[in-house]
Amino acid sequence: MPRHIDQDRRRTEIAEAVWRLVVREGVSAVSLRTVAAEAGLVLGSLRHSFPTKADLLAYSMELVHERVQERVRRHLGVRDARALARAVLLEVLPLDEERRTELRVNLALVVESPAHPRLAELAGAAQTALAQMCRDLCGHLGSAGLLHPSRDVALEGARLHALLDGTALHLLLDPAAVPSAEQLVEAHLRELATPSPEAGPASGAARR
Amino acid sequence: MPRHIDQDRRRTEIAEAVWRLVVREGVSAVSLRTVAAEAGLVLGSLRHSFPTKADLLAYSMELVHERVQERVRRHLGVRDARALARAVLLEVLPLDEERRTELRVNLALVVESPAHPRLAELAGAAQTALAQMCRDLCGHLGSAGLLHPSRDVALEGARLHALLDGTALHLLLDPAAVPSAEQLVEAHLRELATPSPEAGPASGAARR
DNA sequence: ATCGTGCTAGCACAGATGCGCTACGAAAGG
DNA sequence: CCTTTCGTAGCGCATCTGTGCTAGCACGAT
């Protein structure tokens, strides 16, 4: 092996250049040449790591998913079910610039997926995984008695997932909403422990 | 006035061509020429209605917001607070192909907004309006006694908004989830009438 | 010292893109 | 009638796009 450049590192750097471009100038500013310039490379070098644009975009999206997965993994040791849920949820939300970038890029590539089928696959898989994770969190809460038995795990999983993605979207468009996002997650988790409104009729709620 | 063509109609048709392109081929497939072809016009005619690409994109986004607003307006006469909330929320969700297209386009243009400042303005305004609407719905529910007094209107407004946008996103990526989305909205609205878990301590919830 | 290979650098090409500009048509005003 | 004005049609240009291709370079194993 001659002149060995750490290819993984190189590919990562390039993908991050894509991220920066997407955030700064929008998806349609992403071309092989602009990316090469942003990464401080020549077109030829870029194309050695990523022969086609499709390869580039696909890896840029994969890297987002890897980063998120790895950050989530770090919290999996938490024992208390509610603390685990809180940790994981707050980890997935774009609470800082780095995660905001990742979400923005993911969204941008989802939007581009009609033109690049591979992106659609990746996005679908990530989406499914996140949904599964939300259901699992609800399952764990259930085992710990923190999800009231009158509640349906599947429905609450879907609701949690929607709440998560919606909050993420809002944080993306309005970073100032961070404190209310944390409060929101907290309130929702506490709510899951209460009986479902269909099982236990709302006490004196119809009054006032 | 010579040869009068209904300009508004023309602009609408063109914007809809943009929509179709975004959905079928992704944002970066949108160029003056591809749009003209999709709309069955010549480049010159297109550019008579929209001199620059920025104009085109801005109007395409505006049209999405107008359509949504008008659909929502149709339900404002509903008297019962919960029925109103249900109607409005289900109207905003992408439950059919038409609304799915609108959401997809909106998302695509949000993603493109770094390159076109006007898009960022429009997106911000729409986002703010939707947030306000969710708060208002919660306010009405409160006046009708369908939002338990122990609940904070601002927080519940934000939560409803997040749930709404999250569910919308999920419906976009998985149209098969329509029934569960309706169920989800219904469950959430009922939940709002129950006491907040911090005010009324979760009855026997910590138990299994 | 030599050779093979991983990497850089860049040329070339066919096509697309946004936009400035002009020429022509048709229709409504005078 | 003629003139004005709106809309159509389209040429042209400078620039950018993705990708195929070929030299050369530096280095590590032989």
PDB file of all heavy atoms in Angstrom, chain C residues 3 6 10 21 25 29-30, chain D residues 1-2 6 10 21 24-25 28:
ATOM      1  P    DC C   3      11.413  -1.744 -13.224  1.00  0.00           P
ATOM      2  OP1  DC C   3      11.751  -2.774 -14.222  1.00  0.00           O
ATOM      3  OP2  DC C   3      11.383  -0.315 -13.591  1.00  0.00           O
ATOM      4  O5'  DC C   3       9.998  -2.136 -12.583  1.00  0.00           O
ATOM      5  C5'  DC C   3       9.921  -3.236 -11.690  1.00  0.00           C
ATOM      6  C4'  DC C   3       8.706  -3.061 -10.796  1.00  0.00           C
ATOM      7  O4'  DC C   3       8.976  -2.078  -9.778  1.00  0.00           O
ATOM      8  C3'  DC C   3       7.457  -2.580 -11.540  1.00  0.00           C
ATOM      9  O3'  DC C   3       6.446  -3.549 -11.335  1.00  0.00           O
ATOM     10  C2'  DC C   3       7.133  -1.221 -10.890  1.00  0.00           C
ATOM     11  C1'  DC C   3       7.787  -1.357  -9.528  1.00  0.00           C
ATOM     12  N1   DC C   3       8.185  -0.070  -8.868  1.00  0.00           N
ATOM     13  C2   DC C   3       7.831   0.166  -7.530  1.00  0.00           C
ATOM     14  O2   DC C   3       7.180  -0.683  -6.913  1.00  0.00           O
ATOM     15  N3   DC C   3       8.228   1.323  -6.938  1.00  0.00           N
ATOM     16  C4   DC C   3       8.933   2.225  -7.638  1.00  0.00           C
ATOM     17  N4   DC C   3       9.303   3.352  -7.009  1.00  0.00           N
ATOM     18  C5   DC C   3       9.306   1.996  -8.997  1.00  0.00           C
ATOM     19  C6   DC C   3       8.912   0.845  -9.571  1.00  0.00           C
ATOM     20  P    DG C   6      -4.333   0.332  -4.740  1.00  0.00           P
ATOM     21  OP1  DG C   6      -4.735  -0.746  -3.829  1.00  0.00           O
ATOM     22  OP2  DG C   6      -4.997   0.515  -6.046  1.00  0.00           O
ATOM     23  O5'  DG C   6      -4.408   1.712  -3.913  1.00  0.00           O
ATOM     24  C5'  DG C   6      -3.663   1.815  -2.709  1.00  0.00           C
ATOM     25  C4'  DG C   6      -3.473   3.286  -2.378  1.00  0.00           C
ATOM     26  O4'  DG C   6      -2.636   3.904  -3.381  1.00  0.00           O
ATOM     27  C3'  DG C   6      -4.769   4.103  -2.365  1.00  0.00           C
ATOM     28  O3'  DG C   6      -4.615   5.129  -1.387  1.00  0.00           O
ATOM     29  C2'  DG C   6      -4.812   4.691  -3.766  1.00  0.00           C
ATOM     30  C1'  DG C   6      -3.330   4.944  -4.044  1.00  0.00           C
ATOM     31  N9   DG C   6      -2.973   4.864  -5.452  1.00  0.00           N
ATOM     32  C8   DG C   6      -3.430   3.953  -6.369  1.00  0.00           C
ATOM     33  N7   DG C   6      -2.897   4.123  -7.557  1.00  0.00           N
ATOM     34  C5   DG C   6      -2.035   5.207  -7.413  1.00  0.00           C
ATOM     35  C6   DG C   6      -1.186   5.842  -8.338  1.00  0.00           C
ATOM     36  O6   DG C   6      -1.018   5.576  -9.521  1.00  0.00           O
ATOM     37  N1   DG C   6      -0.486   6.908  -7.744  1.00  0.00           N
ATOM     38  C2   DG C   6      -0.592   7.286  -6.444  1.00  0.00           C
ATOM     39  N2   DG C   6       0.152   8.304  -6.066  1.00  0.00           N
ATOM     40  N3   DG C   6      -1.380   6.693  -5.561  1.00  0.00           N
ATOM     41  C4   DG C   6      -2.074   5.668  -6.113  1.00  0.00           C
ATOM     42  P    DG C  10      -4.248  21.520 -10.851  1.00  0.00           P
ATOM     43  OP1  DG C  10      -3.204  22.511 -11.161  1.00  0.00           O
ATOM     44  OP2  DG C  10      -5.301  21.812  -9.859  1.00  0.00           O
ATOM     45  O5'  DG C  10      -4.921  21.075 -12.228  1.00  0.00           O
ATOM     46  C5'  DG C  10      -4.107  20.412 -13.179  1.00  0.00           C
ATOM     47  C4'  DG C  10      -4.974  19.771 -14.236  1.00  0.00           C
ATOM     48  O4'  DG C  10      -5.623  18.581 -13.721  1.00  0.00           O
ATOM     49  C3'  DG C  10      -6.123  20.663 -14.767  1.00  0.00           C
ATOM     50  O3'  DG C  10      -6.044  20.684 -16.166  1.00  0.00           O
ATOM     51  C2'  DG C  10      -7.367  19.912 -14.317  1.00  0.00           C
ATOM     52  C1'  DG C  10      -6.840  18.495 -14.419  1.00  0.00           C
ATOM     53  N9   DG C  10      -7.715  17.481 -13.828  1.00  0.00           N
ATOM     54  C8   DG C  10      -8.283  17.495 -12.575  1.00  0.00           C
ATOM     55  N7   DG C  10      -9.045  16.457 -12.338  1.00  0.00           N
ATOM     56  C5   DG C  10      -8.976  15.704 -13.514  1.00  0.00           C
ATOM     57  C6   DG C  10      -9.595  14.486 -13.847  1.00  0.00           C
ATOM     58  O6   DG C  10     -10.340  13.794 -13.160  1.00  0.00           O
ATOM     59  N1   DG C  10      -9.255  14.079 -15.137  1.00  0.00           N
ATOM     60  C2   DG C  10      -8.439  14.774 -15.988  1.00  0.00           C
ATOM     61  N2   DG C  10      -8.240  14.233 -17.185  1.00  0.00           N
ATOM     62  N3   DG C  10      -7.845  15.917 -15.680  1.00  0.00           N
ATOM     63  C4   DG C  10      -8.159  16.332 -14.433  1.00  0.00           C
ATOM     64  P    DC C  21     -30.061  44.174 -20.918  1.00  0.00           P
ATOM     65  OP1  DC C  21     -28.933  45.106 -21.134  1.00  0.00           O
ATOM     66  OP2  DC C  21     -31.209  44.569 -20.071  1.00  0.00           O
ATOM     67  O5'  DC C  21     -30.641  43.715 -22.332  1.00  0.00           O
ATOM     68  C5'  DC C  21     -29.764  43.106 -23.294  1.00  0.00           C
ATOM     69  C4'  DC C  21     -30.541  42.547 -24.464  1.00  0.00           C
ATOM     70  O4'  DC C  21     -31.193  41.325 -24.065  1.00  0.00           O
ATOM     71  C3'  DC C  21     -31.683  43.418 -24.968  1.00  0.00           C
ATOM     72  O3'  DC C  21     -31.208  44.185 -26.079  1.00  0.00           O
ATOM     73  C2'  DC C  21     -32.752  42.424 -25.419  1.00  0.00           C
ATOM     74  C1'  DC C  21     -32.255  41.078 -24.955  1.00  0.00           C
ATOM     75  N1   DC C  21     -33.262  40.291 -24.209  1.00  0.00           N
ATOM     76  C2   DC C  21     -33.830  39.152 -24.793  1.00  0.00           C
ATOM     77  O2   DC C  21     -33.470  38.839 -25.933  1.00  0.00           O
ATOM     78  N3   DC C  21     -34.740  38.432 -24.108  1.00  0.00           N
ATOM     79  C4   DC C  21     -35.096  38.815 -22.875  1.00  0.00           C
ATOM     80  N4   DC C  21     -35.990  38.076 -22.224  1.00  0.00           N
ATOM     81  C5   DC C  21     -34.542  39.968 -22.260  1.00  0.00           C
ATOM     82  C6   DC C  21     -33.641  40.682 -22.956  1.00  0.00           C
ATOM     83  P    DG C  25     -45.517  38.438 -37.211  1.00  0.00           P
ATOM     84  OP1  DG C  25     -45.685  37.349 -38.188  1.00  0.00           O
ATOM     85  OP2  DG C  25     -45.459  39.849 -37.670  1.00  0.00           O
ATOM     86  O5'  DG C  25     -46.662  38.302 -36.115  1.00  0.00           O
ATOM     87  C5'  DG C  25     -47.012  37.026 -35.603  1.00  0.00           C
ATOM     88  C4'  DG C  25     -47.929  37.172 -34.405  1.00  0.00           C
ATOM     89  O4'  DG C  25     -47.253  37.922 -33.377  1.00  0.00           O
ATOM     90  C3'  DG C  25     -49.229  37.913 -34.716  1.00  0.00           C
ATOM     91  O3'  DG C  25     -50.307  36.971 -34.672  1.00  0.00           O
ATOM     92  C2'  DG C  25     -49.391  38.959 -33.619  1.00  0.00           C
ATOM     93  C1'  DG C  25     -48.124  38.908 -32.827  1.00  0.00           C
ATOM     94  N9   DG C  25     -47.397  40.168 -32.831  1.00  0.00           N
ATOM     95  C8   DG C  25     -46.753  40.750 -33.898  1.00  0.00           C
ATOM     96  N7   DG C  25     -46.168  41.869 -33.591  1.00  0.00           N
ATOM     97  C5   DG C  25     -46.440  42.044 -32.239  1.00  0.00           C
ATOM     98  C6   DG C  25     -46.060  43.086 -31.356  1.00  0.00           C
ATOM     99  O6   DG C  25     -45.388  44.079 -31.614  1.00  0.00           O
ATOM    100  N1   DG C  25     -46.552  42.858 -30.072  1.00  0.00           N
ATOM    101  C2   DG C  25     -47.303  41.785 -29.689  1.00  0.00           C
ATOM    102  N2   DG C  25     -47.679  41.741 -28.419  1.00  0.00           N
ATOM    103  N3   DG C  25     -47.659  40.795 -30.500  1.00  0.00           N
ATOM    104  C4   DG C  25     -47.195  41.000 -31.753  1.00  0.00           C
ATOM    105  P    DG C  29     -60.765  48.802 -24.848  1.00  0.00           P
ATOM    106  OP1  DG C  29     -61.070  48.792 -23.408  1.00  0.00           O
ATOM    107  OP2  DG C  29     -61.837  48.574 -25.830  1.00  0.00           O
ATOM    108  O5'  DG C  29     -60.044  50.194 -25.226  1.00  0.00           O
ATOM    109  C5'  DG C  29     -59.139  50.803 -24.305  1.00  0.00           C
ATOM    110  C4'  DG C  29     -58.256  51.813 -25.020  1.00  0.00           C
ATOM    111  O4'  DG C  29     -57.624  51.185 -26.141  1.00  0.00           O
ATOM    112  C3'  DG C  29     -59.008  53.025 -25.569  1.00  0.00           C
ATOM    113  O3'  DG C  29     -58.804  54.153 -24.707  1.00  0.00           O
ATOM    114  C2'  DG C  29     -58.367  53.315 -26.924  1.00  0.00           C
ATOM    115  C1'  DG C  29     -57.606  52.055 -27.260  1.00  0.00           C
ATOM    116  N9   DG C  29     -58.185  51.315 -28.384  1.00  0.00           N
ATOM    117  C8   DG C  29     -59.250  50.456 -28.358  1.00  0.00           C
ATOM    118  N7   DG C  29     -59.516  49.924 -29.524  1.00  0.00           N
ATOM    119  C5   DG C  29     -58.570  50.473 -30.373  1.00  0.00           C
ATOM    120  C6   DG C  29     -58.356  50.264 -31.765  1.00  0.00           C
ATOM    121  O6   DG C  29     -58.995  49.536 -32.544  1.00  0.00           O
ATOM    122  N1   DG C  29     -57.274  51.024 -32.227  1.00  0.00           N
ATOM    123  C2   DG C  29     -56.506  51.854 -31.460  1.00  0.00           C
ATOM    124  N2   DG C  29     -55.514  52.489 -32.094  1.00  0.00           N
ATOM    125  N3   DG C  29     -56.687  52.056 -30.164  1.00  0.00           N
ATOM    126  C4   DG C  29     -57.739  51.326 -29.682  1.00  0.00           C
ATOM    127  P    DG C  30     -59.676  55.432 -24.967  1.00  0.00           P
ATOM    128  OP1  DG C  30     -59.435  56.298 -23.795  1.00  0.00           O
ATOM    129  OP2  DG C  30     -61.054  54.986 -25.294  1.00  0.00           O
ATOM    130  O5'  DG C  30     -59.075  56.128 -26.266  1.00  0.00           O
ATOM    131  C5'  DG C  30     -57.808  56.814 -26.205  1.00  0.00           C
ATOM    132  C4'  DG C  30     -57.378  57.251 -27.613  1.00  0.00           C
ATOM    133  O4'  DG C  30     -57.257  56.092 -28.455  1.00  0.00           O
ATOM    134  C3'  DG C  30     -58.359  58.179 -28.322  1.00  0.00           C
ATOM    135  O3'  DG C  30     -57.997  59.559 -28.075  1.00  0.00           O
ATOM    136  C2'  DG C  30     -58.118  57.859 -29.816  1.00  0.00           C
ATOM    137  C1'  DG C  30     -57.637  56.415 -29.790  1.00  0.00           C
ATOM    138  N9   DG C  30     -58.665  55.434 -30.194  1.00  0.00           N
ATOM    139  C8   DG C  30     -59.679  54.923 -29.419  1.00  0.00           C
ATOM    140  N7   DG C  30     -60.427  54.057 -30.056  1.00  0.00           N
ATOM    141  C5   DG C  30     -59.877  54.001 -31.324  1.00  0.00           C
ATOM    142  C6   DG C  30     -60.272  53.228 -32.461  1.00  0.00           C
ATOM    143  O6   DG C  30     -61.214  52.416 -32.558  1.00  0.00           O
ATOM    144  N1   DG C  30     -59.435  53.471 -33.539  1.00  0.00           N
ATOM    145  C2   DG C  30     -58.369  54.338 -33.548  1.00  0.00           C
ATOM    146  N2   DG C  30     -57.700  54.432 -34.690  1.00  0.00           N
ATOM    147  N3   DG C  30     -57.992  55.059 -32.506  1.00  0.00           N
ATOM    148  C4   DG C  30     -58.796  54.831 -31.421  1.00  0.00           C
TER     149       DG C  30
ATOM    150  P    DC D   1     -57.688  49.551 -41.836  1.00  0.00           P
ATOM    151  OP1  DC D   1     -58.393  49.104 -42.933  1.00  0.00           O
ATOM    152  OP2  DC D   1     -57.510  48.995 -40.530  1.00  0.00           O
ATOM    153  O5'  DC D   1     -56.642  50.713 -42.000  1.00  0.00           O
ATOM    154  C5'  DC D   1     -56.986  51.916 -42.700  1.00  0.00           C
ATOM    155  C4'  DC D   1     -56.765  53.063 -41.756  1.00  0.00           C
ATOM    156  O4'  DC D   1     -57.835  53.078 -40.787  1.00  0.00           O
ATOM    157  C3'  DC D   1     -55.493  52.971 -40.943  1.00  0.00           C
ATOM    158  O3'  DC D   1     -54.458  53.658 -41.644  1.00  0.00           O
ATOM    159  C2'  DC D   1     -55.840  53.685 -39.638  1.00  0.00           C
ATOM    160  C1'  DC D   1     -57.370  53.672 -39.570  1.00  0.00           C
ATOM    161  N1   DC D   1     -57.962  52.891 -38.444  1.00  0.00           N
ATOM    162  C2   DC D   1     -57.838  53.354 -37.132  1.00  0.00           C
ATOM    163  O2   DC D   1     -57.194  54.411 -36.922  1.00  0.00           O
ATOM    164  N3   DC D   1     -58.389  52.658 -36.104  1.00  0.00           N
ATOM    165  C4   DC D   1     -59.067  51.531 -36.365  1.00  0.00           C
ATOM    166  N4   DC D   1     -59.605  50.866 -35.337  1.00  0.00           N
ATOM    167  C5   DC D   1     -59.229  51.037 -37.688  1.00  0.00           C
ATOM    168  C6   DC D   1     -58.658  51.743 -38.679  1.00  0.00           C
ATOM    169  P    DC D   2     -52.978  53.090 -41.543  1.00  0.00           P
ATOM    170  OP1  DC D   2     -52.180  53.844 -42.522  1.00  0.00           O
ATOM    171  OP2  DC D   2     -52.977  51.617 -41.534  1.00  0.00           O
ATOM    172  O5'  DC D   2     -52.586  53.587 -40.068  1.00  0.00           O
ATOM    173  C5'  DC D   2     -52.684  54.971 -39.730  1.00  0.00           C
ATOM    174  C4'  DC D   2     -52.581  55.113 -38.216  1.00  0.00           C
ATOM    175  O4'  DC D   2     -53.660  54.394 -37.588  1.00  0.00           O
ATOM    176  C3'  DC D   2     -51.290  54.560 -37.612  1.00  0.00           C
ATOM    177  O3'  DC D   2     -50.751  55.522 -36.734  1.00  0.00           O
ATOM    178  C2'  DC D   2     -51.731  53.284 -36.889  1.00  0.00           C
ATOM    179  C1'  DC D   2     -53.164  53.634 -36.503  1.00  0.00           C
ATOM    180  N1   DC D   2     -54.083  52.463 -36.319  1.00  0.00           N
ATOM    181  C2   DC D   2     -54.752  52.294 -35.092  1.00  0.00           C
ATOM    182  O2   DC D   2     -54.569  53.117 -34.192  1.00  0.00           O
ATOM    183  N3   DC D   2     -55.576  51.217 -34.937  1.00  0.00           N
ATOM    184  C4   DC D   2     -55.742  50.348 -35.934  1.00  0.00           C
ATOM    185  N4   DC D   2     -56.567  49.306 -35.727  1.00  0.00           N
ATOM    186  C5   DC D   2     -55.084  50.497 -37.187  1.00  0.00           C
ATOM    187  C6   DC D   2     -54.260  51.552 -37.336  1.00  0.00           C
ATOM    188  P    DC D   6     -49.078  47.011 -20.725  1.00  0.00           P
ATOM    189  OP1  DC D   6     -49.652  47.489 -19.462  1.00  0.00           O
ATOM    190  OP2  DC D   6     -47.648  47.187 -21.010  1.00  0.00           O
ATOM    191  O5'  DC D   6     -49.464  45.478 -20.899  1.00  0.00           O
ATOM    192  C5'  DC D   6     -50.837  45.106 -21.091  1.00  0.00           C
ATOM    193  C4'  DC D   6     -50.885  43.737 -21.747  1.00  0.00           C
ATOM    194  O4'  DC D   6     -50.378  43.831 -23.090  1.00  0.00           O
ATOM    195  C3'  DC D   6     -50.034  42.681 -21.034  1.00  0.00           C
ATOM    196  O3'  DC D   6     -50.796  41.493 -20.895  1.00  0.00           O
ATOM    197  C2'  DC D   6     -48.839  42.505 -21.954  1.00  0.00           C
ATOM    198  C1'  DC D   6     -49.460  42.787 -23.321  1.00  0.00           C
ATOM    199  N1   DC D   6     -48.489  43.279 -24.350  1.00  0.00           N
ATOM    200  C2   DC D   6     -48.517  42.749 -25.653  1.00  0.00           C
ATOM    201  O2   DC D   6     -49.344  41.874 -25.918  1.00  0.00           O
ATOM    202  N3   DC D   6     -47.642  43.222 -26.580  1.00  0.00           N
ATOM    203  C4   DC D   6     -46.775  44.168 -26.257  1.00  0.00           C
ATOM    204  N4   DC D   6     -45.934  44.604 -27.211  1.00  0.00           N
ATOM    205  C5   DC D   6     -46.722  44.728 -24.947  1.00  0.00           C
ATOM    206  C6   DC D   6     -47.594  44.253 -24.036  1.00  0.00           C
ATOM    207  P    DG D  10     -40.538  29.330 -30.749  1.00  0.00           P
ATOM    208  OP1  DG D  10     -40.573  28.738 -32.094  1.00  0.00           O
ATOM    209  OP2  DG D  10     -40.825  28.520 -29.553  1.00  0.00           O
ATOM    210  O5'  DG D  10     -39.121  30.035 -30.563  1.00  0.00           O
ATOM    211  C5'  DG D  10     -38.776  31.120 -31.420  1.00  0.00           C
ATOM    212  C4'  DG D  10     -37.553  31.822 -30.887  1.00  0.00           C
ATOM    213  O4'  DG D  10     -37.874  32.628 -29.734  1.00  0.00           O
ATOM    214  C3'  DG D  10     -36.422  30.879 -30.419  1.00  0.00           C
ATOM    215  O3'  DG D  10     -35.237  31.274 -31.048  1.00  0.00           O
ATOM    216  C2'  DG D  10     -36.355  31.156 -28.927  1.00  0.00           C
ATOM    217  C1'  DG D  10     -36.714  32.632 -28.932  1.00  0.00           C
ATOM    218  N9   DG D  10     -36.989  33.189 -27.609  1.00  0.00           N
ATOM    219  C8   DG D  10     -37.814  32.666 -26.633  1.00  0.00           C
ATOM    220  N7   DG D  10     -37.827  33.384 -25.538  1.00  0.00           N
ATOM    221  C5   DG D  10     -36.957  34.435 -25.808  1.00  0.00           C
ATOM    222  C6   DG D  10     -36.562  35.530 -24.994  1.00  0.00           C
ATOM    223  O6   DG D  10     -36.922  35.790 -23.851  1.00  0.00           O
ATOM    224  N1   DG D  10     -35.659  36.357 -25.652  1.00  0.00           N
ATOM    225  C2   DG D  10     -35.191  36.154 -26.925  1.00  0.00           C
ATOM    226  N2   DG D  10     -34.331  37.041 -27.392  1.00  0.00           N
ATOM    227  N3   DG D  10     -35.561  35.136 -27.702  1.00  0.00           N
ATOM    228  C4   DG D  10     -36.427  34.320 -27.079  1.00  0.00           C
ATOM    229  P    DC D  21     -14.315   6.278 -20.430  1.00  0.00           P
ATOM    230  OP1  DC D  21     -14.397   5.719 -21.800  1.00  0.00           O
ATOM    231  OP2  DC D  21     -14.400   5.383 -19.256  1.00  0.00           O
ATOM    232  O5'  DC D  21     -12.987   7.134 -20.304  1.00  0.00           O
ATOM    233  C5'  DC D  21     -12.625   8.018 -21.379  1.00  0.00           C
ATOM    234  C4'  DC D  21     -11.416   8.849 -21.011  1.00  0.00           C
ATOM    235  O4'  DC D  21     -11.747   9.712 -19.911  1.00  0.00           O
ATOM    236  C3'  DC D  21     -10.210   8.050 -20.521  1.00  0.00           C
ATOM    237  O3'  DC D  21      -9.339   7.809 -21.620  1.00  0.00           O
ATOM    238  C2'  DC D  21      -9.553   8.978 -19.500  1.00  0.00           C
ATOM    239  C1'  DC D  21     -10.546  10.109 -19.297  1.00  0.00           C
ATOM    240  N1   DC D  21     -10.850  10.391 -17.869  1.00  0.00           N
ATOM    241  C2   DC D  21     -10.308  11.515 -17.255  1.00  0.00           C
ATOM    242  O2   DC D  21      -9.554  12.242 -17.911  1.00  0.00           O
ATOM    243  N3   DC D  21     -10.602  11.766 -15.958  1.00  0.00           N
ATOM    244  C4   DC D  21     -11.412  10.949 -15.288  1.00  0.00           C
ATOM    245  N4   DC D  21     -11.694  11.257 -14.021  1.00  0.00           N
ATOM    246  C5   DC D  21     -11.987   9.797 -15.894  1.00  0.00           C
ATOM    247  C6   DC D  21     -11.680   9.555 -17.170  1.00  0.00           C
ATOM    248  P    DG D  24       2.978  12.907 -18.176  1.00  0.00           P
ATOM    249  OP1  DG D  24       3.607  14.142 -18.673  1.00  0.00           O
ATOM    250  OP2  DG D  24       3.463  11.580 -18.620  1.00  0.00           O
ATOM    251  O5'  DG D  24       2.991  12.937 -16.591  1.00  0.00           O
ATOM    252  C5'  DG D  24       3.035  14.205 -15.944  1.00  0.00           C
ATOM    253  C4'  DG D  24       2.669  14.029 -14.498  1.00  0.00           C
ATOM    254  O4'  DG D  24       1.600  13.066 -14.381  1.00  0.00           O
ATOM    255  C3'  DG D  24       3.814  13.496 -13.625  1.00  0.00           C
ATOM    256  O3'  DG D  24       4.036  14.437 -12.598  1.00  0.00           O
ATOM    257  C2'  DG D  24       3.289  12.168 -13.070  1.00  0.00           C
ATOM    258  C1'  DG D  24       1.792  12.384 -13.169  1.00  0.00           C
ATOM    259  N9   DG D  24       1.015  11.148 -13.222  1.00  0.00           N
ATOM    260  C8   DG D  24       0.983  10.222 -14.244  1.00  0.00           C
ATOM    261  N7   DG D  24       0.190   9.214 -13.993  1.00  0.00           N
ATOM    262  C5   DG D  24      -0.331   9.484 -12.730  1.00  0.00           C
ATOM    263  C6   DG D  24      -1.239   8.749 -11.933  1.00  0.00           C
ATOM    264  O6   DG D  24      -1.775   7.689 -12.206  1.00  0.00           O
ATOM    265  N1   DG D  24      -1.487   9.402 -10.722  1.00  0.00           N
ATOM    266  C2   DG D  24      -0.932  10.588 -10.343  1.00  0.00           C
ATOM    267  N2   DG D  24      -1.284  11.050  -9.154  1.00  0.00           N
ATOM    268  N3   DG D  24      -0.094  11.288 -11.068  1.00  0.00           N
ATOM    269  C4   DG D  24       0.166  10.678 -12.241  1.00  0.00           C
ATOM    270  P    DC D  25       5.569  14.527 -12.063  1.00  0.00           P
ATOM    271  OP1  DC D  25       6.048  15.846 -12.477  1.00  0.00           O
ATOM    272  OP2  DC D  25       6.314  13.284 -12.405  1.00  0.00           O
ATOM    273  O5'  DC D  25       5.364  14.539 -10.499  1.00  0.00           O
ATOM    274  C5'  DC D  25       4.150  15.035  -9.956  1.00  0.00           C
ATOM    275  C4'  DC D  25       3.719  14.156  -8.817  1.00  0.00           C
ATOM    276  O4'  DC D  25       3.007  13.022  -9.331  1.00  0.00           O
ATOM    277  C3'  DC D  25       4.874  13.589  -7.997  1.00  0.00           C
ATOM    278  O3'  DC D  25       4.885  14.214  -6.732  1.00  0.00           O
ATOM    279  C2'  DC D  25       4.570  12.090  -7.890  1.00  0.00           C
ATOM    280  C1'  DC D  25       3.125  12.002  -8.356  1.00  0.00           C
ATOM    281  N1   DC D  25       2.758  10.719  -9.017  1.00  0.00           N
ATOM    282  C2   DC D  25       1.893   9.834  -8.351  1.00  0.00           C
ATOM    283  O2   DC D  25       1.465  10.129  -7.222  1.00  0.00           O
ATOM    284  N3   DC D  25       1.544   8.674  -8.948  1.00  0.00           N
ATOM    285  C4   DC D  25       2.015   8.380 -10.171  1.00  0.00           C
ATOM    286  N4   DC D  25       1.628   7.238 -10.731  1.00  0.00           N
ATOM    287  C5   DC D  25       2.882   9.264 -10.871  1.00  0.00           C
ATOM    288  C6   DC D  25       3.240  10.411 -10.264  1.00  0.00           C
ATOM    289  P    DG D  28       5.447   5.418   3.065  1.00  0.00           P
ATOM    290  OP1  DG D  28       4.576   5.947   4.128  1.00  0.00           O
ATOM    291  OP2  DG D  28       6.904   5.649   3.081  1.00  0.00           O
ATOM    292  O5'  DG D  28       5.184   3.840   2.940  1.00  0.00           O
ATOM    293  C5'  DG D  28       3.958   3.432   2.327  1.00  0.00           C
ATOM    294  C4'  DG D  28       4.072   2.019   1.802  1.00  0.00           C
ATOM    295  O4'  DG D  28       4.600   2.029   0.442  1.00  0.00           O
ATOM    296  C3'  DG D  28       5.017   1.110   2.592  1.00  0.00           C
ATOM    297  O3'  DG D  28       4.485  -0.198   2.576  1.00  0.00           O
ATOM    298  C2'  DG D  28       6.322   1.184   1.808  1.00  0.00           C
ATOM    299  C1'  DG D  28       5.809   1.318   0.372  1.00  0.00           C
ATOM    300  N9   DG D  28       6.692   2.081  -0.499  1.00  0.00           N
ATOM    301  C8   DG D  28       7.481   3.150  -0.138  1.00  0.00           C
ATOM    302  N7   DG D  28       8.162   3.646  -1.145  1.00  0.00           N
ATOM    303  C5   DG D  28       7.803   2.855  -2.232  1.00  0.00           C
ATOM    304  C6   DG D  28       8.230   2.918  -3.577  1.00  0.00           C
ATOM    305  O6   DG D  28       9.013   3.722  -4.097  1.00  0.00           O
ATOM    306  N1   DG D  28       7.625   1.932  -4.361  1.00  0.00           N
ATOM    307  C2   DG D  28       6.730   1.013  -3.890  1.00  0.00           C
ATOM    308  N2   DG D  28       6.261   0.154  -4.773  1.00  0.00           N
ATOM    309  N3   DG D  28       6.320   0.928  -2.617  1.00  0.00           N
ATOM    310  C4   DG D  28       6.900   1.884  -1.854  1.00  0.00           C
TER     311       DG D  28
END
